[in-house]
Amino acid sequence: NEADIASVSAGSGAPAAAAAPAAAAPDDGWRTRQGLSRYADRRDIEFVLHEVERVEAEAEEVRGVLDSVEDFVEEWGPVDPALDQSPPKLITAEDGSTAVEVHPETKRLLADYHARGFAEMEELGLPFSVQCAAQFLFGGAFPSNPLGFTVLTRCAADLLEAHGSESLKGEYLSDMRAGKVVGTMALSEPHAGSSLGNIRTTAVRAGDGPLGQEYRLKGDKMWTSAAFHDVTPNTAHMLLARIAGPDTPPGARGISLFLVPHLLPDGSPNDVEVVGLNKKMGHRALPNCAWSLGGGAGGATGYLVGEPHQGLSAMFQMMNAMRIEVGLWAAALGKRGLNESLLYAEGREQGGKRIIEHDDVKRMLLQQKAYAEGAFALTIHAATLHDRNAAGDAEAGAMLDSIIEVVKSWPSEWCLEANKWAIQVLGGSGYVHDYPVEQLYRDNRLNMIHEGST
């Protein structure tokens, strides 16, 4: 009945009390009818964490984390449309060098994110599943992905911590954890996307330095996010390349992992240069670059991370977490689209009644609910398996390995479908910038592509 549809976002399954129609305008506030956030649904989040997955974390602690995230989102969520409409720009400095200039609000948002300690959730011992619940709230509020800087840095720091030398970790790890150095993942090249065995970037041994084995690298990289920006003075690329020499196996078995900084430890610039800024359909707050290494005579300085020829296996050790987060991001945008279209349907009248009273509109809302909330439950289940595997549960690890592609691909595909139905509920209003659902569709489209194409 209508009361059930009116509570379509109320995770508890119980019909909501009757409420006056909410205004459908896109700026009608952070909290709408009966405390519902337009960005996510706390009741559903806590239900999945505590009543479905029974995560090993105190409910009060989890509630405190989510309260803090909601406070942040309440303050910063309204800036996201401006970040989408004013993407980063490629600028030329007086010395002729090029760099990427991001929106000033992106830098302020990231500074506040770090000041509030959100980058330290892992260090505080919070389970990955709880971190994912927080990311779900962030994802719904910031579809243009300004927080991609923090996600990529955390992943790069995790990789460095797991495989880097003590000297290399001493130089970079604490600054990456603190947000003073941004980390990236530099895998693809113009001719090699999913087929990483075909990469051509080469590394020549240059001896041992204070940070371990040094190499000089030459080549081209493509689709690198969070690179060559003005958010922080330095960036550390976790980069895949092939060591030059007869001992390097062909194909994927010959790939090694390197840390390549923009600024060397003495403060001098490394031999790296941005070639172009990719003009994207979505995720516009986060720059994505084509760039080159070794345009000068000597080549770019890089430091070996882990053992030679083991770069791809090291990189894939962290891919499970990344793929869970891609599915989670898709679910967050699916849920945001549901909430936006629900608010619109409650306030829009056609044919003498609110459109939420039309059966086909109810169907489109319930389809979104099924896709988005099912995707969220799936990703939190995977995050729980990730936690159990980290604690030594090999069976949980095997289960995660068997479903990880589904965890990434199913939400990516079907929450995009949910965003399609959100646009349809709004009709012509869904097709214009005045309402957020067209942006949600553009931003969600990437999730079928990155971290392994669907």
Side-chain angles (χ1 to χ4, degrees):
N1 59 36
E2 183 183 339
D4 291 325
I5 300 299
S7 65
V8 73
S9 295
S12 64
D27 60 346
D28 62 350
W30 145 252
R31 295 190 186 280
T32 56
R33 54 188 241 335
Q34 301 165 37
L36 170 67
S37 159
R38 70 187 325 120
Y39 302 131
D41 179 356
R42 277 287 295 275
R43 174 68 185 101
D44 189 53
I45 291 172
E46 294 180 17
F47 171 75
V48 172
L49 285 175
H50 300 302
E51 300 175 52
V52 177
E53 294 298 334
R54 303 187 186 280
V55 298
E56 294 186 5
E58 293 294 330
E60 197 62 36
E61 180 183 25
V62 173
R63 192 172 297 114
V65 170
L66 299 182
D67 284 346
S68 297
V69 173
E70 282 194 335
D71 289 343
F72 180 85
V73 165
E74 180 176 359
E75 180 175 345
W76 285 102
V79 310
D80 193 76
L83 306 185
D84 172 67
Q85 294 163 24
S86 301
K89 297 178 291 186
L90 195 63
I91 58 172
T92 302
E94 293 181 359
D95 62 0
S97 63
T98 53
V100 176
E101 182 181 76
V102 304
H103 196 290
E105 291 297 278
T106 296
K107 289 185 276 189
R108 292 183 60 238
L109 184 155
L110 291 170
D112 197 23
Y113 177 93
H114 284 283
R116 300 194 195 197
F118 294 129
E120 301 169 6
M121 286 191 287
E122 184 175 358
E123 285 69 32
L124 293 174
L126 290 172
F128 183 60
S129 51
V130 175
Q131 297 176 51
C132 283
Q135 290 295 337
F136 185 70
L137 284 167
F138 287 131
F142 304 110
S144 70
N145 201 19
L147 295 182
F149 286 98
T150 68
V151 173
L152 287 166
T153 301
R154 189 197 72 233
C155 291
D158 288 347
L159 195 56
L160 176 61
E161 185 166 19
H163 300 283
S165 66
E166 292 303 316
S167 58
L168 201 56
K169 288 188 284 188
E171 180 69 26
Y172 292 103
L173 187 58
S174 62
D175 282 347
M176 293 172 74
R177 295 293 190 199
K180 297 178 181 178
V181 173
V182 167
T184 81
M185 314 299 290
L187 289 74
S188 299
E189 299 184 358
H191 62 282
S194 299
S195 181
L196 291 174
N198 295 327
I199 64 172
R200 298 172 186 161
T201 299
T202 57
V204 176
R205 181 72 182 271
D208 292 334
L211 300 184
Q213 296 183 29
E214 290 189 9
Y215 287 76
R216 300 292 179 263
L217 289 87
K218 292 189 176 185
D220 299 292
K221 287 295 177 179
M222 186 65 170
W223 310 122
T224 304
S225 291
F228 295 91
H229 50 78
D230 56 351
V231 173
T232 56
N234 202 4
T235 300
H237 299 284
M238 303 301 285
L239 180 143
L240 295 180
R242 191 180 303 280
I243 296 175
D247 295 333
T248 297
R253 294 183 297 113
I255 295 175
S256 299
L257 178 64
F258 300 87
L259 188 154
V260 179
H262 281 193
L263 298 177
L264 297 174
D266 63 3
S268 62
N270 205 353
D271 189 5
V272 295
E273 182 181 9
V274 60
V275 175
L277 188 62
N278 294 312
K279 298 176 181 178
K280 299 181 293 178
M281 174 182 179
H283 286 228
R284 291 178 174 175
L286 185 68
N288 185 277
C289 300
W291 58 291
S292 64
L293 304 93
T301 298
Y303 307 99
L304 184 68
V305 178
E307 297 298 321
H309 319 315
Q310 299 299 312
L312 200 57
S313 61
M315 191 72 75
F316 273 100
Q317 287 178 21
M318 61 172 297
M319 288 299 287
N320 278 358
M322 285 294 294
R323 287 175 173 171
I324 292 170
E325 293 197 51
V326 170
L328 182 77
W329 195 268
L333 300 191
K335 183 70 172 184
R336 171 78 184 275
L338 165 64
N339 289 347
E340 295 289 350
S341 57
L342 173 62
L343 292 169
Y344 184 90
E346 288 181 325
R348 175 71 167 172
E349 289 190 4
Q350 290 286 280
K353 59 183 179 181
R354 297 179 302 161
I355 64 172
I356 197 171
E357 299 174 41
H358 292 281
D359 288 342
D360 201 47
V361 173
K362 296 177 184 179
R363 174 188 63 81
M364 290 187 282
L365 292 169
L366 288 170
Q367 279 190 295
Q368 293 178 67
K369 179 180 173 69
Y371 295 152
E373 294 183 3
F376 174 67
L378 174 63
T379 54
I380 294 299
H381 178 61
T384 304
L385 291 174
H386 186 279
D387 287 331
R388 289 167 50 192
N389 181 51
D393 185 340
E395 184 177 348
M399 176 61 74
L400 180 60
D401 288 341
S402 71
I403 67 170
I404 191 62
E405 285 83 5
V406 177
V407 172
K408 186 269 178 185
S409 62
W410 194 94
S412 300
E413 183 168 350
W414 292 103
C415 289
L416 185 69
E417 184 78 359
N419 289 148
K420 181 191 82 173
W421 290 120
I423 293 173
Q424 194 69 21
V425 170
L426 271 69
S429 295
Y431 194 67
V432 296
H433 291 309
D434 296 338
Y435 291 83
V437 289
E438 63 83 24
Q439 181 192 337
L440 297 176
Y441 188 91
R442 288 188 287 105
D443 289 326
N444 217 350
R445 186 60 185 86
L446 178 63
N447 290 317
M448 290 178 66
I449 300 172
H450 65 167
E451 305 305 334
S453 295
T454 299

